[in-house]
Amino acid sequence: MKQLEGFGKFLESLRGKMSLREAANKSGLSHAYIRDLELERNRSTNEKINPSPVTLKKLSDAYNIPYTDLMEKAGYLELDSVPAATATSDLSDPVSMADTLYIEVSTKEITYHTRIERMTKSVNSLLDFSLFLDKLEEMGYKKMDTDLFVNMNQVQKYIEREGKLYFDPLGISKFVVIAAIRQKKYHDLIVRSVARNTGMGLEFHYDRAASDGSRISSVKRPI
């Protein structure tokens, strides 16, 4: 892995006049971590740090730069050595993406969680991985925690005080716990998704929130 010399400075130049907090809001990363990446070291331990491919994906979205460009400069990809056929690699999924509840990812494997099973697929290349992340966004998945992507078309109950997303309206089956920063960022989207997926208007979810202790701050209007 051969990273561009001065990669931290390169990241800082991409941020430009954007404040660290604005970059944090756009990327979902903490402003402190973004600054550590620019300095190329963890300021708490003084150890050198390198961004993961997932982190680079978030920065590419925030800074509007092609993901493969960042992956190349970070040393994960050598585009000149990648055969043209790689761009059409087999990205087939072992289960239906529409029916999958949530997905856990790493640079080595992808784990699909459905209502009745869990299936794992190996990642063949980092280019495949980057294309897969783009595919998740197109399919209505949102990153809700480190390496956790949730299918927003399947969420049917939201308990805000616990940060839990359930995939049934009664909240008795599978659930995931989402990161606080993502909960804040996607609060309104979660509420709208639950209302749409259960066939109930937002006003219904306001009433139910009063009984389960959740606080819903989006505008009251039917879907």
Side-chain angles (χ1 to χ4, degrees):
M1 176 174 164
K2 186 177 180 182
Q3 190 176 92
L4 172 72
E5 185 176 351
F7 183 68
K9 288 291 185 183
F10 173 71
L11 289 179
E12 187 174 8
S13 70
L14 289 179
R15 180 165 60 83
K17 295 181 180 180
M18 188 187 304
S19 70
L20 284 168
R21 293 194 179 277
E22 185 179 355
N25 288 334
K26 285 190 172 185
S27 67
L29 301 168
S30 73
H31 66 278
Y33 182 56
I34 292 174
R35 187 54 183 158
D36 282 352
L37 291 176
E38 293 175 352
L39 297 173
E40 298 186 44
R41 63 182 176 85
N42 184 316
R43 286 173 290 170
S44 298
T45 64
N46 207 34
E47 295 179 351
K48 182 176 176 60
I49 60 172
N50 295 305
S52 69
V54 172
T55 294
L56 292 173
K57 172 60 178 172
K58 291 188 280 189
L59 290 175
S60 75
D61 292 340
Y63 297 156
N64 195 28
I65 180 175
Y67 178 50
T68 50
D69 286 0
L70 272 187
M71 289 283 282
E72 181 184 16
K73 288 178 170 55
Y76 287 105
L77 283 179
E78 294 183 10
L79 295 185
D80 292 340
S81 65
V82 176
T86 304
T88 57
S89 298
D90 179 18
L91 295 177
S92 60
D93 302 293
V95 294
S96 167
M97 290 281 285
D99 295 331
T100 299
L101 306 180
Y102 61 97
I103 292 174
E104 294 175 291
V105 303
S106 71
T107 55
K108 294 183 178 180
E109 61 182 27
I110 300 167
T111 303
Y112 303 73
H113 295 262
T114 69
R115 295 186 186 279
I116 59 175
E117 61 183 337
R118 181 179 70 179
M119 298 189 68
T120 299
K121 170 186 173 183
S122 297
V123 175
N124 296 321
S125 73
L126 286 170
L127 185 55
D128 278 356
F129 182 69
S130 67
L131 293 172
F132 179 76
L133 293 181
D134 290 337
K135 181 179 178 181
L136 286 178
E137 187 73 20
E138 294 171 2
M139 293 289 294
Y141 285 74
K142 292 296 181 183
K143 183 175 176 61
M144 291 294 177
D145 208 338
T146 305
D147 302 337
L148 171 68
F149 290 80
V150 174
N151 184 352
M152 300 308 295
N153 296 316
Q154 293 286 350
V155 178
Q156 297 187 45
K157 185 177 177 67
Y158 171 36
I159 300 182
E160 181 184 358
R161 67 179 182 276
E162 299 175 4
K164 290 182 179 179
L165 299 181
Y166 285 87
F167 303 98
D168 70 284
L170 298 179
I172 57 177
S173 63
K174 288 185 177 181
F175 68 89
V176 295
V177 179
I178 64 178
I181 189 171
R182 294 289 173 168
Q183 188 177 357
K184 181 179 180 180
K185 178 177 181 180
Y186 291 123
H187 176 81
D188 288 350
L189 172 63
I190 294 170
V191 172
R192 290 196 301 271
S193 297
V194 170
R196 181 189 68 239
N197 298 340
T198 58
M200 300 292 183
L202 289 179
E203 194 169 74
F204 167 81
H205 291 282
Y206 269 91
D207 294 338
R208 188 175 67 177
S211 63
D212 70 9
S214 300
R215 176 183 58 80
I216 300 179
S217 58
S218 56
V219 178
K220 283 188 182 180
R221 62 174 178 266
I223 57 173

